[in-house]
Amino acid sequence: MKRVAFVFPGQGSQEVGMGKALYETYDEVKDLFEQADEELEVPLTKLMFDGPQDELTKTEHAQPALLINSAAIVSLLEKEGIEPVMTAGHSLGEYSALVASKALKPLEAAALVHKRGQLMEHAYPTGKGAMAAVLGLDQDAIQNVLEGMKDDEVVDLANINCPGQIVISGSKEGVDQASEQLKEAGAKRVLPLNVSGPFHSRLMKPASEDFSEALKNADLSDASIPVYANVTAEPVTDKQMIEELLIEQLYSPVRFQQILEKFVEQDIDAIVEVGHGKVLSGLVRKVKRRMKTFQIQDPETLQAFIEWYKEDS
């Protein structure tokens, strides 16, 4: 039997049209999407299929849309008897990973990330926070620049994605100042990201405090397979530890490069990106070029993966 790891995309991978072919092909996908619309009292399916893109991109919509799309694909894979031996997700994607590991049910997770999105959206004044991708500079060099920033501007490491690609987050003025200093320190490029807030920075602390209440009331179970946590890049299965790490995750850096480095050291045959987009597969190749990857986001890619998985098994 082949051994595979599942990884799940985070915010930024949403796109109008996502999930539509799956919805039209599989009754269970249609049922799950419609249940999510009802549960959240949001026309999520319509936003996913018809947009507009700026409405789908709102944090409170993008997060449940991406999650429910990934969860639907997980259910189709389970039906084929395919389960991962380990899993992880990028930021929001960690909740999809928890669905795949049976720690959260899909609708429970969708409601949680909808709330998470609302809290993140309102944690810091709109337009006052920012994020930027720093290309071509290592983590220590970036940290040195950030530590030299003025105390009145908060800028933190937010996403450690792969060698040469790290995202910073904080106040808009702070990120603008840091961007100039990082270029002077040797960064090839510093690209502002189209996001609505300073995610994974200390400025998200207020959101984490409010979100802890929602998590306490959630029906969270122990994970059936290891989920590699964003905060620690270590495997976790205990529900109490999962809850604590999800709260910390809101204001801590996503250590995705470290997670992938640990994945490729394991005895696995492929890393499978489950959900819309190909961003994470690109990160895998930056960490280990020869690692076999799949992306599953429509009936064709689903069937191609299933055929490969069942070959010679």
Side-chain angles (χ1 to χ4, degrees), residues 207-225:
S208 74
E209 287 154 17
D210 293 336
F211 187 57
S212 66
E213 286 306 308
L215 267 175
K216 279 192 186 80
N217 297 322
D219 184 15
L220 191 64
S221 305
D222 290 343
S224 61
I225 53 168

Side-chain angles (χ1 to χ4, degrees), residues 74-94:
V74 166
S75 72
L76 295 172
L77 291 166
E78 284 175 353
K79 201 174 166 187
E80 295 288 335
I82 300 171
E83 293 191 2
V85 293
M86 64 192 75
T87 186
H90 193 287
S91 188
L92 153 78
E94 189 162 341

Side-chain angles (χ1 to χ4, degrees), residues 232-278:
T232 59
E234 297 290 343
V236 59
T237 55
D238 174 72
K239 67 179 181 180
Q240 186 65 44
M241 183 60 72
I242 289 168
E243 184 181 316
E244 288 170 17
L245 289 168
L246 289 177
I247 294 164
E248 277 186 57
Q249 193 229 55
L250 278 167
Y251 57 84
S252 303
V254 173
R255 301 184 184 282
F256 209 70
Q257 179 181 332
Q258 285 172 261
I259 290 171
L260 292 178
E261 285 167 352
K262 289 181 179 177
F263 272 23
V264 300
E265 287 169 4
Q266 309 284 335
D267 178 25
I268 54 173
D269 298 295
I271 295 176
V272 187
E273 184 169 4
V274 181
H276 197 72
K278 300 179 178 179

Side-chain angles (χ1 to χ4, degrees), residues 6 8 19-33 68-84 99-100 102 106 274-275 296-303 305-307 309-310:
F6 286 178
F8 294 91
K20 190 171 184 182
L22 292 163
Y23 177 96
E24 291 171 346
T25 307
Y26 302 101
D27 288 342
E28 52 263 69
V29 174
K30 186 176 182 182
D31 290 345
L32 184 58
F33 280 23
I68 216 72
N69 189 56
S70 289
I73 298 169
V74 166
S75 72
L76 295 172
L77 291 166
E78 284 175 353
K79 201 174 166 187
E80 295 288 335
I82 300 171
E83 293 191 2
V99 171
K102 311 287 194 301
V274 181
I296 305 177
Q297 55 184 327
D298 53 32
E300 291 73 29
T301 50
L302 173 68
Q303 289 307 318
F305 171 69
I306 290 169
E307 282 172 26
Y309 185 88
K310 294 191 172 181

Side-chain angles (χ1 to χ4, degrees), residues 6 10 27 30 38 51 58 64 89 91 102 111 113 119 123 145 165 198 200 231 241 256 270 284 287 312:
F6 286 178
D27 288 342
K30 186 176 182 182
E38 197 174 319
K58 283 184 178 173
S91 188
K102 311 287 194 301
V113 300
L119 291 169
V145 169
Q165 189 196 112
H200 298 290
V231 173
M241 183 60 72
F256 209 70
V284 173
V287 170
D312 309 319

